[in-house]
């Protein structure tokens, strides 16, 4: 405790999930050195007091997030409710941030590889699930939860949440297999987006507050990201908060 600033600091034996609704705090008044208020009154014992929590905000400053090798936490990342853990996707002000990636939806599609290091690009820092649609409109949806590094708890499949501001999500290679098919990407909750010069993507609003970005050409793109041609198949979504 800090008697000067009137603060009591609790150090936990293990990490907790900030969104856990069952967090409780109990205190048993000791025979000596008890907690007192400013007038010297001792704090009485109490049990199972509900605890409210809050998250700390970090500014990613639109820097690159590193989705390297994932650890399978639930399943293998190829089915609904499967969970992947990415360690240290970013370090902000000396604090490591992990990412919990969950498959939240799978419709008329299959995931052959949860995160490829070679297809479509040879880059181990990209999140690259290999997805095949089995019929028109097939899709996979994901959620990404950012947590303090090393706080993931297997019992809850969560960690100590952080609020990550000023994130950019780049989705590359939104193209076609070379026929009548057209790939698409949907984002929600972003502040703004940008397309490459001469973009081959059509933009529309769809149900659920999502924005739909769909290829307009039957070309199977082979150009790399961050090139003039490759950026025509790219959308960038900006999340300021």
């Amino acid at each position: 405790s800090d008697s000067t600033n009137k603060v009591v600091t609790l150090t936990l034996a293990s990490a907790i999930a900030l969104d856990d609704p069952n967090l409780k705090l109990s205190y048993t008044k000791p025979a000596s050195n008890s907690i007192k208020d400013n007038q010297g009154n001792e704090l009485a014992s109490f049990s199972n007091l509900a605890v409210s929590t809050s998250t700390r905000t970090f500014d990613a400053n639109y820097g690159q997030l590193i989705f390297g090798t994932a650890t399978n936490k639930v399943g293998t990342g190829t089915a609904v409710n499967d969970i992947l853990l990415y360690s240290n996707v970013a370090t902000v002000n000396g604090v490591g941030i992990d990412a919990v990636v969950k498959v939240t939806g799978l419709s008329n599609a299959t995931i052959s590889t949860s995160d490829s290091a070679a297809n479509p690009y040879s880059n181990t820092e990209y999140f690259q699930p290999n997805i095949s649609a089995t019929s028109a409109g097939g899709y996979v949806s994901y959620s990404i939860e950012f947590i303090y590094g090393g706080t993931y708890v297997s019992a809850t499949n969560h960690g100590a949440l952080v609020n990550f501001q000023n994130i950019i999500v780049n989705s590359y290679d939104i193209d076609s297999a070379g026929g009548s098919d057209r790939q698409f990407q949907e984002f929600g909750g972003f502040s703004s987006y940008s397309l490459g010069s001469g973009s081959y993507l059509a933009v529309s609003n769809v149900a659920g507050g999502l924005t739909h970005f769909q290829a307009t050409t039957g070309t199977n793109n082979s150009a790399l990201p961050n090139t003039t041609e490759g950026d025509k198949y790219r959308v960038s979504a900006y999340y300021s908060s």
Side-chain angles (χ1 to χ4, degrees), residues 57-60 62 146 162-168 188-192 237-241:
T57 297
F58 292 90
D59 187 351
Y62 299 114
F146 294 104
V162 301
N163 182 30
F164 225 1
Q165 290 185 335
N166 298 325
I167 294 174
I168 179 173
F190 55 84
S191 305
S192 61
Y238 299 86
Y239 292 83
S240 61
S241 61

Side-chain angles (χ1 to χ4, degrees), residues 47 52 61 72 80 82 84 94 104 112 120 124 133 150 157 177 180 206 216 219 226-227:
S47 61
S52 62
N61 198 28
N72 293 329
V80 174
D82 281 3
L84 305 174
T104 57
S112 58
T124 59
N157 296 320
S180 61
V206 295
T216 59
T219 301
N226 302 315
T227 63

Side-chain angles (χ1 to χ4, degrees), residues 138-167:
Y139 68 87
V140 178
S141 59
Y142 294 89
S143 67
I144 301 179
E145 181 178 278
F146 294 104
I147 62 174
Y148 284 96
T151 66
Y152 181 86
V153 179
S154 295
T156 63
N157 296 320
H158 295 285
L161 292 172
V162 301
N163 182 30
F164 225 1
Q165 290 185 335
N166 298 325
I167 294 174

Side-chain angles (χ1 to χ4, degrees), residues 64-110:
Q64 182 178 357
L65 305 183
I66 308 299
F67 284 80
T69 302
T71 301
N72 293 329
K73 288 300 184 179
V74 176
T76 59
T78 58
V80 174
N81 294 323
D82 281 3
I83 294 176
L84 305 174
L85 175 66
Y86 290 87
S87 298
N88 201 35
V89 297
T91 300
V92 181
N93 297 329
V95 178
I97 307 296
D98 294 349
V100 181
V101 178
K102 182 177 182 179
V103 181
T104 57
L106 185 61
S107 176
N108 297 324
T110 60

